[in-house]
Amino acid sequence: MMGNLDNKPDCPSLIEDCTMKVKRLLIVICALVALACDKQDEVEPILIVRASTMSLDGVLDVPGVKNKVPIQLYSNQNWTSESDVEWIDVHTREGQASKRYQDLEVTVLSNDSGKERVGKIIFRNSSLEETLTIRQGLPDASAVWGSGTESSPYLIRTAENLNEVRKLLEPGSTSYICLANDIDMSSVKNFVPLNDTSPYNKEIHFDGRGFTISNLTSIQEIKHTVNPSLFGVLKGSCTNLTVKDATIKDDAGSGRLTPAGIIAASASTSVILNNVHVSGVVKTDSPCAGGLVGVVCGATIENCTADVNVSSGSRDNAGGLVGQVKSGQFIVRNSSVTGQIYGDANVGGLIGGSLKDASLDIQDCHSTVTVKGHSSIGGFAGYLDNDESRPAKITNSSASGDVYIMSDRSDMSAFVGMVKGGCEFIDCYASGKAFSNRNNDNFGGIIARTITENGTIYLKNCHCKRGGVGSVTNGG
């Protein structure tokens, strides 16, 4: 028996309906899977700050002196940091998310507030905030106070402070140092200068505040102290300071030929010395020995005095203030020297010698030094070599010490031994005597010898006890 064909199911329609339902189901499943994946990707934010020296109460205690504090930070999101006080410096102010701890460094300046103080560093990411509290006490009695800035200079109170402050002076940086009282350095057998390591790029501004450093000893040895002096290589300034009874020497066996001076072995461009007074001994067998500075490459010296015994031994360029002016503009005002100066050649009461690349302008300066040497020696300056475009100028200055030539070599004067190139002398006076046991050439009162091929020698209202100019070469 046959059934009714009109009741036969529509197969294609049924298949299409099932397919749509399956598609809808797959879409739902994919959405659920995606949602589950998103839930898994949502990681809870983390922000952790820690320091190895943190106390049990969560506070980081630091000493009263300037110091660097290492801390660690973990954040799985980008983060920022800030300090709520000026004396805490966070070197890194922001960072990226990381799967490991990041090392950070914080500088805490010296506490000169007179009391314990507290500051905070706040760290934040997009969801969290953490605070690191830093508590700082007062400096120890033996510590160097201050932060080395112009507003908070390193404060030197003891010989130990002065001997240790060099460790705080960073290469390439500018530091400010002040004395708090008089300091006796006799407990330090051999002081290592403050800037004595190549490339000598520590800029130092030192204010003595009218106090005195006494019994400073700096000796050049084979292994240490390349530039015997207080500063080594001075880049910056030194003001309002007295250095009394200093001993600056080199070790004869060191084999090094380096300049020497009580304040600095050498001074770089644009150094300022104002109201600085020194006394003591500078004894070397190296070129360029000076009461204040051994060799200068541009400087301004004002209101300075030196009562010194300076010797460059068998070497050249010894002077009461400066051994040699090598280059740059050299200005001296209202300064004086007493004592004794000895060297081979280019020996003078105020300046040993100057080179052609230097430009000298000296005014109101006086020398009462006994000068001894073998060639180009003078009661005021030994040897001046000047370019025609920038002649040396010496005004209202005098020399009253005696001058001794120790061999049959030449160029000895009560004022300047030898002048090469252009030079102007205005209102200058030489009253010292010049002594020789031999028949020396070029023996004068103001100038012993001039070589004027590169300039003109000009004298106005200058006086001396014996003669004016000993000899003139290539015109006058």
Side-chain angles (χ1 to χ4, degrees):
M1 180 175 172
M2 296 183 64
N4 189 352
L5 296 176
D6 292 338
N7 295 326
K8 184 178 179 180
D10 187 355
C11 291
S13 176
L14 181 61
I15 294 173
E16 183 178 354
D17 184 57
C18 291
T19 301
M20 291 299 295
K21 290 181 179 180
V22 170
K23 287 182 177 179
R24 291 191 186 110
L25 181 60
L26 290 174
I27 290 173
V28 172
I29 293 172
C30 289
L32 291 172
V33 171
L35 182 61
C37 291
D38 288 342
K39 291 292 184 181
Q40 289 181 356
D41 289 339
E42 286 183 7
V43 179
E44 182 150 353
I46 301 174
L47 180 61
I48 301 173
V49 179
R50 67 184 186 184
S52 59
T53 57
M54 191 176 296
S55 61
L56 295 176
D57 58 359
V59 176
L60 179 61
D61 287 301
V62 297
V65 296
K66 179 182 178 181
N67 60 102
K68 294 181 178 179
V69 180
I71 63 175
Q72 290 187 316
L73 177 141
Y74 180 90
S75 178
N76 57 358
Q77 296 177 346
N78 295 346
W79 58 271
T80 62
S81 69
E82 63 177 336
S83 171
D84 68 343
V85 292
E86 293 183 353
W87 50 271
I88 298 176
D89 180 21
V90 186
H91 297 185
T92 307
R93 296 302 180 93
E94 59 183 24
Q96 303 294 319
S98 176
K99 294 182 179 180
R100 57 177 60 90
Y101 276 96
Q102 301 176 54
D103 293 320
L104 307 178
E105 190 172 71
V106 174
T107 297
V108 180
L109 302 182
S110 180
N111 186 358
D112 52 6
S113 66
K115 59 183 179 180
E116 181 181 276
R117 59 186 182 181
V118 175
K120 296 179 181 180
I121 306 174
I122 300 94
F123 297 90
R124 298 184 181 92
N125 59 23
S126 61
S127 305
L128 300 173
E129 178 178 301
E130 285 288 332
T131 299
L132 176 63
T133 300
I134 295 179
R135 181 169 55 207
Q136 185 181 39
L138 292 173
D140 295 334
S142 61
V144 177
W145 294 12
S147 303
T149 63
E150 189 171 7
S151 60
S152 178
Y154 292 126
L155 201 58
I156 307 301
R157 297 165 292 113
T158 65
E160 183 182 5
N161 287 166
L162 187 59
N163 202 36
E164 293 293 322
V165 72
R166 89 175 59 79
K167 299 177 183 178
L168 302 176
L169 308 179
E170 299 182 1
S173 66
T174 299
S175 300
Y176 293 83
I177 303 173
C178 291
L179 291 187
N181 45 251
D182 294 337
I183 295 175
D184 185 353
M185 294 295 293
S186 57
S187 61
V188 180
K189 293 183 178 180
N190 188 9
F191 179 78
V192 178
L194 299 178
N195 187 22
D196 198 46
T197 305
S198 180
Y200 309 108
N201 60 349
K202 300 174 183 177
E203 183 173 333
I204 302 171
H205 297 277
F206 194 105
D207 185 357
R209 294 182 174 177
F211 294 113
T212 298
I213 297 173
S214 59
N215 301 310
L216 174 73
T217 298
S218 182
I219 303 173
Q220 175 185 288
E221 296 179 337
I222 295 175
K223 296 181 179 180
H224 306 288
T225 315
V226 179
N227 300 282
S229 57
L230 174 61
F231 289 97
V233 178
L234 177 57
K235 179 182 179 183
S237 64
C238 180
T239 58
N240 309 314
L241 175 67
T242 297
V243 181
K244 179 182 177 183
D245 298 330
T247 301
I248 310 297
K249 294 182 178 180
D250 68 357
D251 180 354
S254 68
R256 292 173 172 166
L257 298 179
T258 59
I262 293 175
I263 296 299
S266 61
S268 62
T269 305
S270 302
V271 161
I272 295 174
L273 297 174
N274 192 355
N275 194 28
V276 175
H277 311 281
V278 300
S279 68
V281 175
V282 179
K283 185 178 181 180
T284 78
D285 195 32
S286 297
C288 306
L292 281 178
V293 183
V295 60
V296 167
C297 298
T300 298
I301 298 176
E302 295 182 286
N303 309 310
C304 295
T305 63
D307 182 4
V308 289
N309 187 333
V310 176
S311 172
S312 61
S314 60
R315 307 288 179 173
D316 300 343
N317 298 301
L321 281 186
V322 173
Q324 182 187 72
V325 184
K326 188 175 182 180
S327 62
Q329 187 175 28
F330 182 65
I331 298 172
V332 189
R333 296 286 187 271
N334 191 35
S335 297
S336 62
V337 182
T338 59
Q340 298 184 2
I341 313 295
Y342 175 80
D344 183 50
N346 308 341
V347 186
L350 201 84
I351 301 169
S354 69
L355 299 184
K356 193 173 183 179
D357 290 334
S359 175
L360 275 64
D361 185 356
I362 301 173
Q363 186 174 320
D364 300 318
C365 293
H366 308 282
S367 167
T368 56
V369 174
T370 299
V371 180
K372 297 181 180 181
H374 297 267
S375 177
S376 296
I377 62 175
F380 193 84
Y383 174 81
L384 303 178
D385 186 359
N386 310 287
D387 188 89
E388 182 180 5
S389 62
R390 47 180 182 273
K393 297 179 181 180
I394 301 177
T395 307
N396 194 34
S397 297
S398 68
S400 58
D402 294 336
V403 180
Y404 297 81
I405 192 163
M406 310 301 292
S407 68
D408 56 2
R409 291 152 67 185
S410 62
D411 309 336
M412 176 183 68
S413 165
F415 200 71
V416 178
M418 178 176 175
V419 176
K420 184 178 181 182
C423 191
E424 297 180 6
F425 299 90
I426 302 174
D427 299 322
C428 293
Y429 180 70
S431 61
K433 298 178 181 179
F435 295 92
S436 174
N437 294 326
R438 298 172 176 83
N439 294 321
N440 302 99
D441 295 329
N442 306 330
F443 190 89
I446 293 294
I447 307 171
R449 182 185 178 195
T450 67
I451 300 177
T452 57
E453 57 187 4
N454 293 322
T456 301
I457 306 298
Y458 176 76
L459 292 90
K460 179 182 178 181
N461 195 30
C462 294
H463 307 277
C464 60
K465 282 194 171 181
R466 173 184 173 178
V469 177
S471 73
V472 177
T473 304
N474 295 330

